[in-house]
Amino acid sequence: MMKSLLKKSRDNLNKSKDSLNKSRDSLNRSREELNRSEDGGSVGSKGNDAVTTTLVDELEREKEEALKPLTSGVMDTGMDESGDFKRQVSPESLKDTKVQALSQQLKEWINDVLTDVHIVVKNLCEDLSDGQVLSSLIEQLAGAKIEHQEVAQSVASQKAKLSETLAQINYHLQIGEDGIKWNVDNIHNKYLVSVLHLLVALARHYGIPRRLPSHVDITIIQINKATQQTDQIIEHITGDEEREHYNFAARAQERDVFDTLFDSAPDKLNAVKGSLLAFANKQLQKIGRGCANMEEDFSDGVNLVIMMSLAENYYVPLYSFSMQPEAYDQKLHNVTLALNLLQEAGIPRPKCTAEGIVSKDLKSTLRVLYAIYSKYKHLAK
């Protein structure tokens, strides 16, 4: 079987070479005819020139077709050229069914998210490289507003847009610098490994409604720029995605006391709101602040940050948050800071998102206030 395949490949290569040689011979004959016509005078020279130009063009196309079997099948997946090495994806990994399945699922997920804005992604590396699609994606997922020109033509403007978009994505993902496996240059250079790391992180954070393939690994060819020494390294893209998907689905479906309150005991809702507002006011009155509307008065995050600083008896520098936020991003920053302060104080993160609180979702606001109350209710006595 292998001998047959090798023989077939050699035959195809020989045919390609023969076709190329014939093309070259024809091209040389055309040039000789052109020279003879030029020696014979100017009569009909314009017609000969036109015919010869057409013939040369056809022969050039024939040459390109003859060379296709020698160059086809190579996919451009970009390159990471940062640091002392060049890195690119091995051809074997491009054919890996798990890598292909992961890429396809992520592409389908992005297209589902972007349906309302009529964006269709066909090639992950290509379509995400200028930041436009990523910008629309994070706007749809997180409600973020990114101000930028609609179309960035130059490389500099594309990288500027991409830089701003990735900064927003990193902010919403809340990943430490050591956990970020992508950057502006790699995404703009269409480096598959970085693109997949970024999309997997987004899918996990925002809950892709399908389980990604587990244990997807990519073999990377690494070339030392100084010595040209070549090594192969393995990059892990996904882990036990069945467990990841189960954990996210379980958290999303797990009911708490507020689900029960809204569904089964709406008559008690006002009593719970009153008790939590009374607790919040007792803390805020210490610095002359107060609250009356639960959804409105906590949506910008200011009162949440102040409550945590009072409860933990520390000062939050004014430069670290906005005391009079107006823009959505400022409010989101404040609420995210407040949720981080809860975690630093050892309070289990409530079943809510910063986006939900900024959007004045009552259930989300009740959950975060109840989490604070559960930890510091002794302060109300």
Side-chain angles (χ1 to χ4, degrees):
M1 182 69 178
M2 286 299 295
K3 290 181 178 178
S4 176
L5 289 173
L6 284 171
K7 184 177 183 300
K8 188 174 181 180
S9 298
R10 287 175 185 146
D11 291 341
N12 289 336
L13 181 59
N14 289 332
K15 289 179 182 178
S16 299
K17 290 179 178 178
D18 291 340
S19 177
L20 181 58
N21 289 332
K22 289 178 182 178
S23 299
R24 286 173 177 164
D25 292 339
S26 298
L27 182 58
N28 290 332
R29 285 196 298 271
S30 298
R31 285 173 176 163
E32 290 172 1
E33 290 173 4
L34 176 61
N35 291 333
R36 285 197 298 270
S37 66
E38 288 176 347
D39 293 338
S42 61
V43 178
S45 62
K46 292 184 179 178
N48 288 335
D49 285 345
V51 172
T52 304
T53 299
T54 302
L55 180 59
V56 170
D57 290 341
E58 289 176 355
L59 291 172
E60 287 295 333
R61 285 194 294 271
E62 186 179 343
K63 180 180 73 173
E64 291 174 2
E65 289 297 321
L67 286 172
K68 272 188 178 179
L70 307 177
T71 58
S72 62
V74 179
M75 185 184 299
D76 180 16
T77 56
M79 181 177 288
D80 173 15
E81 299 193 55
S82 58
D84 298 327
F85 299 93
K86 292 181 180 180
R87 300 177 182 88
Q88 62 187 32
V89 178
S90 71
E92 292 77 16
S93 287
L94 294 178
K95 300 174 185 176
D96 190 308
T97 54
K98 283 189 176 182
V99 174
Q100 294 175 351
L102 175 63
S103 301
Q104 182 63 26
Q105 286 199 23
L106 290 170
K107 183 170 66 175
E108 291 174 357
W109 173 62
I110 293 173
N111 287 334
D112 288 343
V113 173
L114 299 179
T115 297
D116 291 342
V117 292
H118 311 293
I119 293 176
V120 177
V121 171
K122 296 182 179 180
N123 183 298
L124 287 180
C125 295
E126 181 71 32
D127 295 347
L128 272 59
S129 63
D130 65 356
Q132 185 70 36
V133 173
L134 282 174
S135 174
S136 297
L137 183 63
I138 195 62
E139 286 180 352
Q140 292 295 311
L141 291 172
K145 302 299 179 184
I146 302 176
E147 299 296 333
H148 52 67
Q149 296 178 347
E150 285 302 315
V151 179
Q153 298 288 354
S154 68
V155 171
S157 60
Q158 287 179 359
K159 286 191 173 184
K161 177 193 293 185
L162 189 55
S163 177
E164 184 179 0
T165 301
L166 290 180
Q168 280 281 353
I169 290 174
N170 295 342
Y171 170 76
H172 287 286
L173 292 178
Q174 293 293 303
I175 298 177
E177 289 188 8
D178 57 339
I180 296 176
K181 299 180 179 180
W182 52 85
N183 58 46
V184 171
D185 289 331
N186 284 351
I187 301 297
H188 192 265
N189 289 342
K190 308 167 191 176
Y191 184 47
L192 178 64
V193 174
S194 295
V195 171
L196 291 180
H197 273 310
L198 173 60
L199 293 179
V200 167
L202 282 168
R204 285 174 175 170
H205 185 79
Y206 289 103
I208 185 172
R210 64 197 81 183
R211 184 169 62 83
L212 298 174
S214 294
H215 306 298
V216 176
D217 298 330
I218 288 181
T219 301
I220 299 172
I221 300 172
Q222 179 173 274
I223 305 170
N224 188 302
K225 293 179 181 178
T227 65
Q228 296 302 305
Q229 179 179 346
T230 300
D231 297 305
Q232 288 192 350
I233 56 178
I234 304 298
E235 184 76 13
H236 304 294
I237 306 296
T238 66
D240 187 351
E241 295 305 308
E242 185 171 0
R243 180 183 295 276
E244 288 279 349
H245 186 71
Y246 173 80
N247 288 342
F248 183 89
R251 290 195 300 271
Q253 295 176 8
E254 183 182 357
R255 291 177 60 81
D256 63 6
V257 63
F258 292 102
D259 291 316
T260 304
L261 186 65
F262 273 71
D263 294 343
S264 307
D267 54 312
K268 298 180 181 178
L269 181 59
N270 286 334
V272 173
K273 287 174 63 176
S275 297
L276 291 175
L277 277 174
F279 167 76
N281 274 315
K282 189 159 187 178
Q283 308 310 309
L284 294 172
Q285 284 170 1
K286 296 176 182 178
I287 60 168
R289 294 178 67 91
C291 55
N293 185 307
M294 179 166 289
E295 298 97 312
E296 187 71 35
D297 293 342
F298 294 95
S299 64
D300 63 7
V302 175
N303 283 334
L304 293 175
V305 172
I306 291 175
M307 285 180 66
M308 286 305 301
S309 69
L310 291 171
E312 287 291 318
N313 195 29
Y314 55 64
Y315 175 72
V316 179
L318 293 178
Y319 62 77
S320 64
F321 72 108
S322 176
M323 279 294 293
Q324 295 180 317
E326 295 182 0
Y328 177 90
D329 287 349
Q330 292 176 314
K331 297 176 183 179
L332 188 64
H333 173 81
N334 286 355
V335 175
T336 301
L337 173 62
L339 292 176
N340 289 339
L341 293 178
L342 262 71
Q343 287 186 297
E344 290 178 7
I347 301 174
R349 182 162 184 138
K351 186 182 155 184
C352 65
T353 64
E355 292 83 3
I357 295 171
V358 175
S359 300
K360 304 176 185 178
D361 177 65
L362 177 58
K363 196 182 292 187
S364 295
T365 307
L366 284 169
R367 283 175 172 140
V368 71
L369 286 176
Y370 182 73
I372 297 173
Y373 168 80
S374 298
K375 173 80 172 181
Y376 305 107
K377 55 189 174 184
H378 62 281
L379 300 176
K381 297 179 180 178

